[in-house]
Amino acid sequence: RRQRQMCIRDSFQLRLRYFRQDLTVGYRKVEADYITPGNPYMQKDLSGFHIMDYIRLLNNQIFLNLYFRSFDDNISRGDAKTNSTDFGATISYFPFSNLPSVTLSYNNLSRQNELSEKGIHPDSTVLFFEDNQTQQIGLSSSYKFETGSVKNTATIGITNHKRDDKAYPTNKSDFTMFNIGVRNQFKFPLTTRVTFAQTASGFGADSLESSTDIQKIFLDAQYLISNVRDRMNIRPFVQFNFQNIKNDLSSYNIDYNRVNYAAGVYLTDNQYGTFTLRYDYI
């Protein structure tokens, strides 16, 4: 007589609210052979836990989010089992007075398995060697102010992603993005936006190292024609997008400009949804 093998899916989650905090603790385990008709795309062959704490401070002007996750996937494959550890924090300040808001974030994601300790070469096509770490840090701020009858919102932000891969140096990367923009809402129903962004990317290592630098200027204007018929809104728009792209590759360099003009109209109806007509020239 055959004995049917039990396929396990375990999970629990505990949520506590106390002293202006919202704490969540959870655990999950799904075996490789677990099947559920309700979700055939469920991620399987993993186990792990997570902790998240959402804290409100200074009369709800400061919000602090702390989290830690640790999961093992490929748990049925022995030495190929890979641990993913993700931890980080985000702190945001939203003042009641006429001051800019500020958000600072940091997170660290690492993936590692035991293949290196077992003598498995990183180039093995049977088992995938992993030993990498990705760090992200970001700072952003926004400020609302008025000039005459125009309501303005200014935003600025900078983000850096850095990945270090000990097994595959060509997967090493460093990405930094800076952006600054202003949104203007006029007394009549016209909204304009001006954005400048700059990115710097580096990939690979040694002789295979390459870099890409992009500068972007984006202009957008939209005019709202409301309640045309039965609460139907029409919003014509025009856009201008300019990019300067510089690629410094291992064997040659590429430097070019890209210009995109766009115009169109958004038509929004409460009953039928949104229809968009758009024309682009690149």
Side-chain angles (χ1 to χ4, degrees), residues 38-241:
N39 186 3
Y41 304 104
M42 174 186 291
Q43 187 178 4
K44 298 180 291 184
D45 203 15
L46 59 84
S47 66
F49 68 96
H50 65 271
I51 302 173
M52 291 180 287
D53 197 0
Y54 188 70
I55 307 171
R56 294 176 293 174
L57 304 169
L58 197 65
N59 295 324
N60 292 335
Q61 295 185 69
I62 296 180
F63 296 88
L64 177 62
N65 184 23
L66 306 172
Y67 65 90
F68 178 85
R69 306 182 186 95
S70 181
F71 279 87
D72 292 328
D73 54 24
N74 297 321
I75 58 178
S76 64
R77 301 187 63 188
D79 295 337
K81 178 180 69 175
T82 301
N83 175 259
S84 298
T85 302
D86 186 10
F87 64 89
T90 300
I91 183 169
S92 301
Y93 174 55
F94 300 97
F96 294 147
S97 57
N98 189 25
L99 294 173
S101 63
V102 179
T103 298
L104 176 64
S105 63
Y106 172 81
N107 74 282
N108 184 297
L109 172 63
S110 61
R111 287 181 57 82
Q112 188 174 22
N113 55 29
E114 300 178 0
L115 296 180
S116 59
E117 299 178 3
K118 302 296 183 179
I120 304 298
H121 193 273
D123 296 332
S124 170
T125 59
V126 180
L127 299 175
F128 188 70
F129 177 92
E130 283 202 74
D131 188 357
N132 57 71
Q133 185 179 67
T134 303
Q135 297 185 59
Q136 180 270 332
I137 185 169
L139 176 65
S140 62
S141 177
S142 65
Y143 179 60
K144 294 183 178 181
F145 61 98
E146 296 184 5
T147 53
S149 60
V150 182
K151 297 181 180 180
N152 311 286
T153 302
T155 58
I156 187 172
I158 184 170
T159 305
N160 176 259
H161 296 262
K162 183 175 294 186
R163 175 187 170 94
D164 184 22
D165 198 320
K166 297 180 180 179
Y168 306 94
T170 54
N171 290 341
K172 179 181 179 181
S173 64
D174 193 337
F175 174 81
T176 302
M177 182 178 69
F178 168 79
N179 65 84
I180 183 171
V182 178
R183 180 179 183 272
N184 313 106
Q185 177 65 65
F186 294 86
K187 191 173 183 179
F188 52 97
L190 175 67
T191 303
T192 61
R193 286 186 298 161
V194 180
T195 303
F196 171 79
Q198 182 171 352
T199 62
S201 307
F203 305 93
D206 302 328
S207 60
L208 299 178
E209 185 174 3
S210 62
S211 63
T212 301
D213 296 328
I214 302 176
Q215 291 185 344
K216 174 181 176 180
I217 299 176
F218 177 76
L219 307 176
D220 174 74
Q222 300 183 16
Y223 188 87
L224 176 62
I225 307 174
S226 58
N227 297 324
V228 176
R229 184 179 66 84
D230 296 335
R231 293 179 295 180
M232 178 186 296
N233 298 331
I234 298 178
R235 191 188 298 268
F237 67 90
V238 293
Q239 295 176 349
F240 171 78
N241 189 354

Side-chain angles (χ1 to χ4, degrees), residues 253-267:
N253 299 331
I254 301 177
D255 187 354
Y256 64 95
N257 295 329
R258 177 177 177 177
V259 181
N260 176 205
Y261 303 94
V265 59
Y266 301 114
L267 189 150

